[in-house]
Amino acid sequence: MGIWGANMNSVKTLLLGTAAGLVAVAGAQAADMPVKAAPVNYVKICSLYGDGFYYIPGTDTCLKLGGYLRVQAEYNMGGGGVVVGDSAGGEITQGRFTRDLTNDINYRVRGVTSWDIRQQTEYGTLRTYIRFGVENTTPTATGGGTAATPFWDRAFLQFAGFTVGRSQSFFDLFTYGGAYSYHNVRVSGDTGASGQNLWAYTAQFGNGFSATLSLEDPATRKGGTVDLAAGGFPLLPATALVQDNAFTINGNGGVGAPTAFGFRVPDIIANLRVDQAWGFAGISAALHDASGAYYGANNVNNGHPADKYGWALAGGAKFNLAGGDMIGFNVCYTEGAPGFCTNNAVWTLYNNSNSVGMGWIADGVFNTGTDIELTKVWSALAGYEHIWNPKWRTSVFGGYVNVQYGSAATNGILQHTPGALAACGVAPVGAINVGITLLPGNSCSPNQSFWEAGTRTQWNPVAQLDIGMEVLYSQRNTAFKGVANLPVSGSRPAVLNAVIDDQNVWSAMFRWQRNFYP
């Protein structure tokens, strides 16, 4: 073989050995390297309850996060769409229309988040829903600084037919507020905007039919029972009535704003409804404690009127039309529970210092030694929405409220009203209020009514973005229509031989809103 052959064999042996070693080392290194894990689905879609739900990792519970951001500018409105002069959102004093007390433009900036958590159990779905947020709303808050006002309108549990917590009242049926208009609707007692603390049970009968019995906190719908002898019906413009309730929203009765907010008997609600593809229809009934505290200055030795309960009935429906259009209506009648038919309690609108309109709504009134006279109120509203195309929609709507005090209640109010003897032939009894002085030619009637009509057009340039404008006309038909002497009201001076007359106002709102999953 020779030297060359021997050397070649040695080289081949060396190369083969080296190759074998490299393979062995590579195999050992490969064995030491980590194995790539299979992908983990950390966020898994939950399809049980519709779009937007995801399983909470490691559980069988589904969660949907939602919310919205809203920015709106309001003309002759405020407090989140309350018409100027009405009894919420700081608007009652704005109705004086003076340079120092009235804003032409108000606004709201609101951010909201919601949590919808659901889980299947042997008793059906267990649901927890929470919705809360922060806002900056004029005229009651300033846009200066970084402070915001927190709020909440939903926090409830649903389980085995029960709903407990803060939800919408089961008395509510149809309203155009919220879905079809922007302003705060006062021709309805609907609680959709604020929520209602309640304890309810709903029985499902199949095919969309259901019945609910609900026990609800009366605070949202308490107009207040008024002791006339204690000055509870002062007839002062832009001034609320003084409540003198028994057991419910009391603690400072006959003197000022209540300080205790419990109750003896909750509002008792019964509801029957049907929900199907064509829409829904329902009827509701309510029982409401309208009892008063004591006669005169509150003292156990003065005695008190017999307990009195008010009641309310309502019926409503919504019909889904071709092309996504909708039409709906609601009617309501009550004796002693006006908060179920209207969210208004008092209103004042000045045209000028010589002309003003005003009205007050109480659950009931009583005088020393008399029973409580319940106030009668009825309301009706309707709304229609047309879908022009996927990006444009227009709604039209309107509603009416009528407030009637019986003859005994009217006589009791006049007994404590200045000028009632000459103007109305009613002799004074006990203390006389410091307020409006009635003059001959006055109607001498605390009865009043109000109505509204409006339209809203909304553009959705992209999904979940609302850009729209609403225009609203409000008519207020005054109590005590006719001639009277007016007292000082804010920067409005006292006026002799003024006129209490019907008033009206035009309002408008422009809104942008970005919605997330509801």
Side-chain angles (χ1 to χ4, degrees), residues 124-483:
T125 301
L126 168 60
R127 184 187 186 197
T128 304
Y129 187 84
I130 305 169
R131 188 166 69 197
F132 58 93
V134 293
E135 66 184 26
N136 180 218
T137 302
T138 62
T140 55
T142 174
T146 58
T149 303
F151 79 96
W152 64 305
D153 60 4
R154 298 291 187 275
F156 62 83
L157 291 169
Q158 289 181 314
F159 178 67
F162 289 93
T163 301
V164 296
R166 192 172 190 86
S167 183
Q168 185 167 0
S169 170
F170 283 92
F171 186 87
D172 298 346
L173 295 167
F174 175 80
T175 181
Y176 50 77
Y180 310 107
S181 69
Y182 293 156
H183 73 288
N184 190 303
V185 177
R186 316 301 284 176
V187 295
S188 165
D190 191 85
T191 62
S194 62
Q196 170 74 42
N197 294 334
L198 53 80
W199 303 259
Y201 178 77
T202 300
Q204 300 287 348
F205 304 123
N207 200 29
F209 288 86
S210 65
T212 299
L213 179 65
S214 182
L215 308 180
E216 303 186 359
D217 188 335
T220 302
R221 286 174 155 142
K222 188 69 173 173
T225 301
V226 172
D227 185 348
L228 300 174
F233 214 112
L235 299 189
L236 286 168
T239 302
L241 301 178
V242 181
Q243 300 185 22
D244 196 21
N245 309 312
F247 306 109
T248 304
I249 314 179
N250 51 14
N252 201 24
V255 179
T259 58
F261 295 92
F263 52 83
R264 174 181 62 175
V265 178
D267 287 346
I268 303 173
I269 312 297
N271 170 270
L272 291 171
R273 63 181 288 156
V274 56
D275 294 85
Q276 294 182 347
W278 53 262
F280 73 84
I283 56 174
S284 297
L287 186 68
H288 175 79
D289 190 353
S291 302
Y294 297 99
Y295 293 127
N298 282 336
N299 187 300
V300 295
N301 294 326
N302 291 346
H304 59 80
D307 291 348
K308 205 71 173 276
Y309 285 85
W311 54 272
L313 294 173
K318 186 184 83 167
F319 302 97
N320 300 322
L321 307 179
D325 290 7
M326 174 284 311
I327 190 169
F329 73 91
N330 199 88
V331 293
C332 180
Y333 178 82
T334 176
E335 294 185 10
F340 287 92
C341 295
T342 174
N343 282 321
N344 233 3
V346 55
W347 62 268
T348 296
L349 280 177
Y350 273 87
N351 185 30
N352 53 56
S353 295
N354 297 297
S355 177
V356 64
M358 62 199 82
W360 298 266
I361 307 176
D363 287 355
V365 300
F366 65 93
N367 246 325
T368 299
T370 72
D371 288 333
I372 296 169
E373 299 293 330
L374 299 179
T375 308
K376 299 178 181 179
V377 176
W378 66 270
S379 67
L381 62 83
Y384 168 75
E385 182 178 63
H386 176 63
I387 308 297
W388 301 100
N389 57 53
K391 293 188 176 182
W392 288 93
R393 62 188 61 205
T394 297
S395 59
V396 292
F397 44 79
Y400 175 84
V401 175
N402 184 280
V403 181
Q404 297 285 322
Y405 292 88
S407 58
T410 298
N411 192 68
I413 293 169
L414 292 174
Q415 287 175 347
H416 302 278
T417 299
L421 178 59
C424 317
V426 177
V429 175
I432 304 300
N433 297 323
V434 178
I436 297 167
T437 299
L438 305 181
L439 299 177
N442 191 279
S443 70
C444 299
S445 174
N447 298 338
Q448 47 125 338
S449 64
F450 50 93
W451 60 271
E452 66 180 27
T455 181
R456 183 218 63 187
T457 294
Q458 183 171 290
W459 177 44
N460 298 99
V462 297
Q464 305 298 330
L465 176 61
D466 305 334
I467 300 175
M469 184 173 183
E470 176 183 303
V471 178
L472 182 72
Y473 175 83
S474 302
Q475 175 72 31
R476 301 291 186 257
N477 300 319
T478 189
F480 298 101
K481 188 173 183 176
V483 188

Side-chain angles (χ1 to χ4, degrees), residues 492-503:
R492 290 288 183 184
V495 177
L496 301 178
N497 295 304
V499 177
I500 302 175
D501 204 359
D502 302 338
Q503 306 293 335

Side-chain angles (χ1 to χ4, degrees), residues 28-101:
Q29 289 179 338
D32 292 338
M33 292 181 66
V35 177
K36 185 177 180 181
V40 177
N41 188 5
Y42 288 103
V43 180
K44 183 180 178 183
I45 293 175
C46 174
S47 59
L48 295 175
Y49 311 109
D51 293 340
F53 281 93
Y54 297 87
Y55 283 101
I56 299 174
T59 75
D60 61 352
T61 301
C62 299
L63 167 67
K64 178 164 72 172
L65 298 179
Y68 62 85
L69 175 63
R70 175 183 298 170
V71 182
Q72 63 192 36
E74 309 167 19
Y75 171 72
N76 279 341
M77 296 182 186
V82 179
V83 173
V84 62
D86 283 353
S87 59
E91 287 302 296
I92 183 64
T93 57
Q94 300 262 315
R96 295 183 176 118
F97 287 113
T98 60
R99 293 171 63 89
D100 62 324
L101 295 172

